[in-house]
Amino acid sequence: MTRTIVALSGGVDSAVAALLLRDAGHEVEALFMTNWEEDETGYCTAAADFQDARRVCAELGIALHRAHFAAEYRERVFAHFLAELRAGRTPNPDVLCNREIKFGTGLAYALRLGADRYATGHYARTASGPRLLRGVDDDKDQSYFLHEVGATALARTEFPVGHLRKAEVRRIARERGLPVFDKRDSTGICFVGERPFGEFIGRFLTGEPGPIESADGNCLGRHGGLERYTLGQRSGLGIGGLPGSGDAPWYVAAKDQARNALVVVQGADHPALFAAGLRAESPHWIAGAAPAFEFDC
C-alpha cells in the first residue's frame, strides 16, 4: 500500500485531497505546517486552521503530524519578499513559499516520516516527464504558483483535486461530511494571512514618506513609503475626491525610486497601466533545460 502524506492546511481543498486518496486505497496521513509565529494583531489563522485540520483527520480516521518551519520561512521566503519590496518590485511570496517550504522543507519532512508520496490541495496536475499542467478549473488554477517547484519534487507529488472544479470539491466535502465544506478560501500572504498590507509591511520596512504625483508631475498627496504600495493598486491611496478629478479611481502606475515618488493615474484604462512587453529573468525549466525548439509564450 502506498503511504501518502497530505499537506493539510485546514481548508476544504486539502481535506478533499486526503479523502480522495484514502478512498483510492492509499495509506493516508496528514502534515500541518506552522510557518508564522507572530499573531499579536490576530490576523494569522494558524491556530484555528490547526483545529480544523484535527477535525478533518478525526472524520477521516487518519493520523495528523504537526511541524514548525517558521525559521526556514523567514530565512528563505520572507527575507527575499522584503528585499524585493525594498528594490521597488512587487514580489509574489507564494511562488517561493511553494518551492522552499511546501515542496522543500515540508516534502523532506514527509519523506523522513516514511512517505512514499506527497500530496497537496493545489488546483494543478502533473504528467510524465514530469510536466506541470494547469488545473481543470480555470478560475482556481494554481500552476503558476508551482512553476519553480523542481522535477524531483513534482515526481513524488499528487494533486488529487487538480481534475476537479471548486464547486465539485465543495460538493464532495459536503456530501461526505467534512467539517470544512463551507470554509471560505484563504487569501493574503502565504502562511502570514490576510491583513492590512501597508500596516504589516511598516513593521519590517521603515521607508521614507514622499510625494504622490500624477503622470504629468502634479503633487496630489503624500505616501507613507514606496514599499507599502504595489503596481496597479487602487485602494488605500488616500487621494480620492480631489477637486476636478471626477469619479474615476486612481491607480499606482509606477514607483520612482530615485525621487521616492509614487506615480498614480486615473481610470483603469489609462495607457500608463499597460505595457507592450516585459523582460523576464531566471526562467525555471522543470525538465532541467530549455526546450530544444523555439516557442512563443
Side-chain angles (χ1 to χ4, degrees), residues 87-254:
R89 292 186 282 269
T90 304
N92 188 322
D94 288 24
V95 173
L96 197 57
C97 179
N98 280 323
R99 188 188 77 188
E100 295 294 327
I101 305 300
K102 291 181 182 176
F103 295 86
T105 306
L107 172 58
Y109 190 88
L111 295 177
R112 289 198 299 271
L113 291 174
D116 302 306
R117 304 287 292 169
Y118 185 66
T120 72
H122 284 97
Y123 286 85
R125 296 170 294 153
T126 56
S128 60
R131 292 186 297 153
L132 177 64
L133 308 178
R134 291 171 57 87
V136 167
D137 191 332
D138 288 337
D139 292 332
K140 293 295 180 179
D141 169 58
Q142 293 172 300
S143 56
Y144 163 73
F145 300 100
L146 300 168
H147 78 266
E148 287 199 4
V149 177
T152 301
L154 287 177
R156 289 184 174 272
T157 300
E158 305 276 349
F159 296 119
V161 303
H163 68 289
L164 298 174
R165 300 186 182 280
K166 183 73 178 203
E168 296 175 88
V169 170
R170 289 203 181 276
R171 177 185 58 79
I172 292 170
R174 183 178 63 255
E175 292 178 352
R176 299 296 295 275
L178 294 181
V180 293
F181 74 90
D182 60 349
K183 185 175 181 178
R184 77 181 187 94
D185 292 344
S186 61
T187 57
I189 302 171
C190 181
F191 286 118
V192 176
E194 184 177 3
R195 60 184 76 207
F197 182 78
E199 174 187 320
F200 173 69
I201 293 303
R203 292 165 45 197
F204 303 95
L205 301 177
T206 55
E208 292 295 323
I212 300 177
E213 299 178 352
S214 64
D216 54 9
N218 292 325
C219 184
L220 305 176
R222 300 282 292 176
H223 66 75
L226 292 181
E227 70 280 352
R228 300 187 180 205
Y229 303 86
T230 58
L231 297 183
Q233 179 175 332
R234 171 181 172 178
S235 62
L237 301 182
I239 56 173
L242 292 173
S245 65
D247 296 328
W250 294 88
Y251 296 85
V252 175

